[in-house]
Amino acid sequence: MPEPVLFNTLGRQLAPLDPVEPDLVRIYTCGPTVYNEVHIGNLRTFLFEDLLRRSLRHLGYRVVQVMNLTDVDDKTIQGAHRAGLSLADYTEPFIQSFWRDQDTLHMERPEHFPRATEHIPEIIELIARLIEREFAYESDGSVFFSIARDPDYGKLSGFDLAQVRRGERVANDEYGKDDVRDFALWKAVKPGEPAWDSPWGPGRPGWHVECSAMSMKYLGPTFDLHCGGVDLIFPHHENEIAQSESATGLPFVRHWVHSEHLIVDGQKMSKSLGNQHTLKDLLDRGYTARAVRYLFLSVHYRQKLNFTFESLEGAAGALRRVDEMRFRLAHAQEGGEPDARLAEAAGRLKADFTAALADDLNAAAALAALFVFVKEVNVAIEERRIGTGDRDRVAAALADADQVLDVLDPAAWPDAAAPADDDAAEDAVAEIERLVQARQDARKRRDFAEGDRIRDELAARGIVLEDTPQGTRWKRR
Ligand SMILES: [Zn+2]
């Protein structure tokens, strides 16, 4: 197996994966704040993390992944207050819809998905340790992290503290800080807000400290990978490092991996532009979750993903090419010696696919390897080289790649093609094959006018023919 290399935001360079335990990768991923339906920008990050865990397993590692659910912060508290609900009643439907989206897109569940509200004791313990080590101080029932005590601060983001001047105006809720740059670990209760008891009086945790406490509880003081969208690098992840390393005196995370933004039609997603789509919006428009998954996997995680409806159609088209190959293979004549070229193509797919994933999760290159294989199989079908066992060999090669991609098997996607649609797609392929055969028959009879007529009919349907010594190949334009 090739040794995986991933871009490390800490140090800003490609670096070999270097897990604490050689064959086990411990991953922490910042989960959703459960105050609304997640949009496709969030889903891009979660799909990248699904690709990451599946790729690592494909490369021979065991994986333990933690994804937290932020169920207490300003947004959830405000939302619950406005709705007149308890925090738990308010967040529960959003948690459920989050899991529904995850399932719809075939994302694997992390091994642990802790909620902040269920880890208040661990959070309090971490804050107490930071006070004891003099990295944090209490003020009017709140606790703040003292950035001046942490010379390392800024090492992840390159953030220059000198840029933030002391004495700048302090936000209301952070009243009482010694230094404007300090951030809250514990926030004293305000009227009408949910609160937990603590050594500093009733209050609630800050967002950043939730992730430090929960990641170290499940993964240990030093673990392998920490992921999220690039928007979390500062201040969230910078603050996580500050809290965790100040509390333990140990390196917190070996490898920081961040996925780029998703933009829509070249523009930033925003409520005001009306382009903040949810998965449900796309499904309501008739697109399939399968195409969404394919599209999101096909763009390298460190590149901006420019979402357009045309790109989603392109993804559906790419999947159709795989489905058609499967269909033709299922109906091809099989017999005789297994085909050596096909066996070689299957071996090359496996090697190239794996190497691409090990190379900083280059899913685009992995998909390119897949389509080279699809083409090879189509050629083998057209040249009638499908020997005994070749069908199984092709199916096994696709299934192996699909352990990571999980988009190649249409039968696994009930929403992707209702049975009726599936039949229609198969009928369409059968009709094309019938016409290609009829044209060949006409040409054998030297009825070239009829042959040309059929060629034009196929061209009108977007089918391009290529005559070779072994027979006629067809493909979609
Ligand atoms: Zn986090």
Side-chain angles (χ1 to χ4, degrees):
M1 282 288 173
E3 202 181 308
V5 167
L6 282 168
F7 189 83
N8 193 347
T9 307
L10 185 65
R12 310 249 161 197
Q13 60 182 343
L14 289 168
L17 182 69
D18 177 29
V20 177
E21 267 183 66
D23 67 336
L24 173 67
V25 184
R26 295 182 176 87
I27 309 176
Y28 187 83
T29 50
C30 292
T33 301
V34 284
Y35 74 107
N36 62 3
E37 309 277 329
V38 301
H39 54 61
I40 55 175
N42 307 126
L43 290 173
R44 192 223 175 158
T45 303
F46 299 132
L47 268 166
F48 141 69
E49 290 158 354
D50 186 62
L51 174 68
L52 173 68
R53 59 174 282 135
R54 286 170 180 262
S55 298
L56 291 173
R57 272 215 314 270
H58 186 79
L59 291 162
Y61 295 91
R62 288 180 298 128
V63 168
V64 176
Q65 182 191 359
V66 179
M67 178 186 281
N68 69 307
L69 302 171
T70 298
D71 59 355
V72 53
D73 79 327
D74 293 343
K75 289 171 186 159
T76 50
I77 289 172
Q78 278 165 20
H81 185 73
R82 237 178 277 135
L85 293 171
S86 73
L87 205 50
D89 286 345
Y90 177 72
T91 55
E92 191 56 31
F94 297 120
I95 292 173
Q96 293 314 322
S97 96
F98 171 71
W99 290 128
R100 230 174 7 254
D101 283 358
Q102 296 268 309
D103 291 345
T104 304
L105 289 170
H106 287 206
M107 292 190 236
E108 293 182 342
R109 292 267 163 126
E111 282 65 27
H112 306 278
F113 32 95
R115 299 182 189 195
T117 53
E118 290 168 356
H119 293 77
I120 303 292
E122 289 86 348
I123 293 168
I124 288 175
E125 199 187 307
L126 177 60
I127 296 172
R129 185 131 53 115
L130 286 167
I131 293 176
E132 192 187 297
R133 299 188 65 157
E134 297 177 3
F135 285 99
Y137 57 91
E138 191 257 319
S139 169
D140 290 336
S142 292
V143 179
F144 297 97
F145 185 88
S146 176
I147 281 183
R149 287 273 298 138
D150 180 10
D152 263 2
Y153 192 87
K155 71 177 173 185
L156 179 70
S157 59
F159 181 76
D160 182 2
L161 277 177
Q163 301 258 337
V164 182
R165 295 183 308 277
R166 284 162 189 267
E168 272 180 16
R169 211 156 62 92
V170 177
N172 275 346
D173 62 327
E174 309 219 320
Y175 196 70
K177 294 200 282 195
D178 288 355
D179 182 327
V180 67
R181 304 169 303 180
D182 294 348
F183 60 90
L185 301 169
W186 187 262
K187 298 184 176 187
V189 67
K190 283 192 267 181
E193 283 191 356
W196 288 262
D197 284 331
S198 82
W200 319 286
R204 62 180 169 98
W207 171 41
H208 311 302
V209 75
E210 293 176 11
C211 282
S212 282
M214 290 189 278
S215 59
M216 292 196 290
K217 170 175 178 175
Y218 291 94
L219 301 174
T222 300
F223 59 92
D224 308 309
L225 292 181
H226 195 312
C227 314
V230 287
D231 50 319
L232 294 186
I233 295 173
F234 185 84
H236 185 52
H237 289 163
E238 195 70 69
N239 290 353
E240 279 191 47
I241 294 176
Q243 296 158 160
S244 304
E245 298 193 347
S246 301
T248 66
L250 297 168
F252 176 43
V253 170
R254 294 199 166 178
H255 227 113
W256 289 85
V257 189
H258 292 100
S259 65
E260 256 296 346
H261 286 296
L262 176 143
I263 53 176
V264 177
D265 290 320
Q267 288 179 299
K268 203 171 150 69
M269 243 188 339
S270 77
K271 274 220 170 82
S272 56
L273 286 171
N275 63 4
Q276 215 171 44
H277 306 299
T278 62
L279 178 59
K280 186 173 177 303
D281 294 338
L282 307 186
L283 302 183
D284 285 350
R285 288 180 186 231
Y287 295 98
T288 65
R290 187 183 177 212
V292 174
R293 182 175 169 92
Y294 181 94
L295 173 64
F296 284 19
L297 293 183
S298 68
V299 178
H300 192 271
Y301 75 94
R302 285 197 289 122
Q303 278 174 0
K304 282 202 174 69
L305 193 159
N306 184 20
F307 177 87
T308 62
F309 288 103
E310 296 83 75
S311 63
L312 204 45
E313 275 154 28
L319 288 167
R320 209 155 44 231
R321 277 163 63 197
V322 180
D323 294 351
E324 283 174 357
M325 180 273 274
R326 277 181 187 275
F327 176 80
R328 297 171 80 185
L329 183 65
H331 293 81
Q333 272 184 13
E334 187 184 57
E337 285 291 298
D339 185 57
R341 271 170 66 187
L342 210 49
E344 193 199 313
R348 204 163 49 234
L349 168 63
K350 194 172 173 63
D352 292 352
F353 186 84
T354 305
L357 295 176
D359 179 17
D360 196 26
L361 233 53
N362 192 342
L367 288 170
L370 173 75
F371 281 100
V372 167
F373 180 67
V374 167
K375 190 174 173 199
E376 293 275 1
V377 178
N378 278 328
V379 171
I381 295 167
E382 280 146 12
E383 296 180 357
R384 301 181 196 285
R385 284 193 277 109
I386 305 300
T388 306
D390 281 344
R391 243 183 233 154
D392 289 345
R393 192 196 311 280
V394 170
L398 293 177
D400 186 54
D402 218 22
Q403 295 281 319
V404 177
L405 302 172
D406 203 353
V407 288
L408 301 181
D409 181 5
W413 291 86
D415 82 310
D421 292 349
D422 213 24
D423 289 348
E426 293 202 355
D427 288 350
V429 173
E431 172 68 1
I432 292 164
E433 307 245 298
R434 190 188 65 74
L435 286 168
V436 170
Q437 190 58 49
R439 175 171 166 275
Q440 264 168 321
D441 294 345
R443 286 160 60 90
K444 262 188 218 144
R445 304 193 299 272
R446 309 192 67 77
D447 184 352
F448 296 112
E450 173 65 2
D452 289 349
R453 190 195 64 74
I454 295 173
R455 174 188 277 268
D456 292 345
E457 185 182 335
L458 285 165
R461 298 183 188 197
I463 305 300
V464 184
L465 300 181
E466 187 190 343
D467 292 313
T468 75
Q470 287 81 21
T472 302
R473 294 175 193 165
W474 63 270
K475 63 181 180 198
R476 289 185 194 276
R477 194 163 44 221

